Amino acid sequence: DISMAKSKYEYVKQFEKDDSLIPNTWLAIRIDGHGFHKFSDRHQFEKPNDHRALDLMNKCAEAVMIEIHDIILAYGQSDEYSFILKKDSNLFKRRNAKIVSTIVSLFTSNYVFHWKTYFPDKELQYLPSFDGRTVQYPSDKNLRDYLSWRQADCHINNLYNTCFWALVHSGKTESEAENALRVVGTISSDKNELLHSSFDINYNNLPEMYRKGSVLIRKEAHLMSHNQKGVEVVRKKKVVTTLHVDIIHDKFWKEHPELNVSV
């Protein structure tokens, strides 16, 4: 009898580990491109920034947010994206593996699906992959500090890479460029000066997406549609919107009280 056999085997469920996340904590799921240094080389991404690659990342993050309503904010830079789930989210009963694997697979499949839109002249040479992890933050301050850390990382990496590739494009080898930047040191103002004096680049005039990364939130929009009688009506709808703004200081959080993150 099949039903008896089923119950006979069901004991194996006892081996499943409970990986439920702590209630009432912010959930930050960060995904990272796996081996994307090689991936970007193989697909000849423009250095230091390829706007098409970043636009594709933003499109994938938007698709994830449209699918998973409990995500209140996403922040992306380079080949990484962080998705923030609200404190009271009960998505998949807060089971960690389900949440992470769903976000990672949704993001990756969208990356492949939309590749041709952003790189119509390039065939995918091999399949991209992403890994993911969850970190739980109990306080609003912890969450803001996490996002500030990621945006500061974006700024530091982008300033370094802008200098590095300016030196390489000017004729230096990659090791010569590394050595030159070692001499310049870690102070941002010195790198800004190098860009300005040697390459006539004003770092602050570079696109904000490169300097600040991308922030996705749901903003209320007024959409025109027609009712059953054919009369034009305005409907309010929350639309996933991409911004390139500072999220380290209070201004952003004061402007978006709907995120319920205390300032």
Side-chain angles (χ1 to χ4, degrees):
D1 182 276
I2 292 291
S3 60
M4 279 181 69
K6 181 173 178 279
S7 60
K8 176 185 165 186
Y9 299 130
E10 256 179 337
Y11 80 92
V12 297
K13 287 177 75 175
Q14 296 168 30
F15 291 89
E16 287 189 26
K17 179 173 153 284
D18 177 29
D19 67 344
S20 301
L21 297 159
I22 303 165
N24 199 36
T25 51
W26 293 105
L27 304 183
I29 292 88
R30 185 166 80 249
I31 70 165
D32 265 298
H34 183 69
F36 253 59
H37 187 78
K38 177 185 159 197
F39 185 87
S40 64
D41 283 348
R42 179 75 76 86
H43 293 92
Q44 298 170 315
F45 284 4
E46 287 174 22
K47 301 291 173 72
N49 291 290
D50 191 312
H51 74 89
R52 299 165 301 174
L54 294 170
D55 287 344
L56 173 55
M57 291 285 290
N58 294 344
K59 177 70 178 176
C60 298
E62 181 190 340
V64 171
M65 274 187 82
I66 288 168
E67 191 74 25
I68 301 175
H69 299 283
D70 281 12
I71 297 169
I72 60 154
L73 178 147
Y75 175 75
Q77 53 130 334
S78 185
D79 64 340
E80 72 166 56
Y81 241 101
S82 296
F83 296 93
I84 309 303
L85 270 72
K86 57 189 183 179
K87 267 189 161 184
D88 61 357
S89 171
N90 200 32
L91 180 68
F92 303 133
K93 297 183 179 169
R94 290 178 84 89
R95 286 158 65 196
N96 185 34
K98 289 269 286 188
I99 293 171
V100 174
S101 59
T102 300
I103 288 175
V104 167
S105 61
L106 257 177
F107 193 96
T108 308
S109 57
N110 270 281
Y111 196 96
V112 175
F113 186 75
H114 292 293
W115 174 266
K116 268 289 182 221
T117 306
Y118 294 88
F119 292 96
D121 54 332
K122 285 188 199 292
E123 287 294 327
L124 258 179
Q125 299 297 309
Y126 63 92
L127 293 176
S129 62
F130 294 83
D131 60 53
R133 77 205 74 176
T134 304
V135 188
Q136 301 173 86
Y137 292 109
S139 74
D140 293 5
K141 182 182 186 302
N142 294 154
L143 175 69
R144 281 192 55 184
D145 285 350
Y146 167 74
L147 291 166
S148 297
W149 172 54
R150 299 323 306 140
Q151 189 164 59
D153 185 73
C154 172
H155 165 74
I156 290 162
N157 289 342
N158 187 60
L159 181 55
Y160 180 91
N161 289 335
T162 303
C163 292
F164 177 83
W165 288 104
L167 290 164
V168 171
H169 294 326
S170 75
K172 289 193 186 300
T173 65
E174 293 193 9
S175 60
E176 284 171 346
E178 276 175 21
N179 289 332
L181 286 172
R182 211 168 280 131
V183 172
V184 170
T186 56
I187 299 167
S188 295
S189 56
D190 293 343
K191 292 196 184 74
N192 280 322
E193 179 53 34
L194 168 74
L195 288 171
H196 191 260
S197 59
S198 299
F199 304 105
D200 202 25
I201 294 172
N202 183 336
Y203 182 76
N204 291 324
N205 289 345
L206 296 177
E208 288 190 312
M209 177 164 67
Y210 302 164
R211 294 184 288 116
K212 294 176 179 166
S214 299
V215 186
L216 274 63
I217 56 170
R218 300 175 199 279
K219 289 187 84 169
E220 203 166 77
H222 296 85
L223 304 175
M224 303 294 286
S225 62
H226 294 86
N227 65 14
Q228 288 173 324
K229 293 176 181 174
V231 178
E232 200 169 60
V233 289
V234 177
R235 296 188 196 282
K236 285 183 182 177
K237 193 183 177 191
K238 289 274 179 76
V239 177
V240 176
T241 309
T242 305
L243 310 171
H244 309 293
V245 294
D246 176 278
I247 54 173
I248 294 174
H249 298 101
D250 289 345
K251 183 173 182 282
F252 170 82
W253 302 99
K254 283 177 178 168
E255 286 173 355
H256 298 286
E258 75 280 2
L259 296 171
N260 288 324
V261 177
S262 55
V263 178

